[in-house]
Amino acid sequence: MRIIDQLREVIEYLKPHKKFLLDTFEEENNKFKKLFATDHDLIGRVLKCHLVLEQYLNQYLIYHFGDQIDGANLSFYQKAKLIPDDDLRAKFVKEGILKLNSIRNRFSHNLDAEVDIHELDSMLEVLNITREEIDYEDPVRVIQDFTTVGCTFLLINEELDELFVEAFKQIH
C-alpha cells in the first residue's frame, strides 16, 4: 500500500489541530520571510568580490607554481596563504585578501551578518596608499575598491611583472 492511499486518515487525524497547525505555519512563515528579506545586495557584492578576486588569485598561483596547482582543489584560504612573502607586490594585498575571505565565510553561514568599517584595517591600509584621495566610510565600497586593487597587484603579465619587480626593489 502506498502512503498516499492512507493520507485521508492523516488529514482526518489532523483536523482537530487545524488552528495549532495554521498558527505554527504562520509563525514559521514570518521567520522565513524575515530571513529571505535579508539584504541580498550586500551578500551578493561580497560574494562577487570574493569570486572575482579568486579568479586573479588562481591565475597568479598558476603563474608562480605551475599548472599542478590548478588541480589541487585548494580552498580560497589555502590559496591566499600560498602567496609568497618574498613577492612584495602580492604580499602587499595578502592580508586584505584573507580578510575578504573571512567576511565571505561569515556571510555564507549567517544571513544576518554585517560588515563594520573598523574590521577592514588591512584593506584600508592598502587603499590609503593606492587611493589616498578617497575618504572611506562605507564598508562595501572598501571591499569593492580593495578587490580592484587586489586584482591589480595579482595581475599576471610579464611586462607588468618586471615593472613591479623593479618598483619593489626600491624598498629593499
Side-chain angles (χ1 to χ4, degrees), residues 89-102:
R89 77 171 162 138
K91 184 180 178 185
F92 177 61
V93 294
K94 184 176 182 176
E95 290 305 312
I97 291 170
L98 290 166
K99 176 50 78 174
L100 175 59
N101 187 57
S102 70

Side-chain angles (χ1 to χ4, degrees), residues 99-133:
K99 176 50 78 174
L100 175 59
N101 187 57
S102 70
I103 292 167
R104 197 276 316 178
N105 287 344
R106 186 181 329 143
F107 277 97
S108 69
H109 299 288
N110 181 358
L111 285 172
D112 294 327
E114 295 179 6
V115 181
D116 186 275
I117 193 100
H118 302 295
E119 68 181 295
L120 303 177
D121 290 345
S122 56
M123 293 180 185
L124 285 167
E125 284 179 324
V126 169
L127 293 174
N128 287 337
I129 294 169
T130 59
R131 302 213 171 161
E132 61 188 347
E133 70 281 359

Side-chain angles (χ1 to χ4, degrees), residues 8-23:
R8 289 191 197 287
E9 293 172 29
V10 171
I11 299 297
E12 284 301 315
Y13 178 85
L14 292 175
K15 277 185 179 177
H17 305 281
K18 185 177 181 177
K19 179 169 176 16
F20 169 74
L21 291 170
L22 290 174
D23 289 348

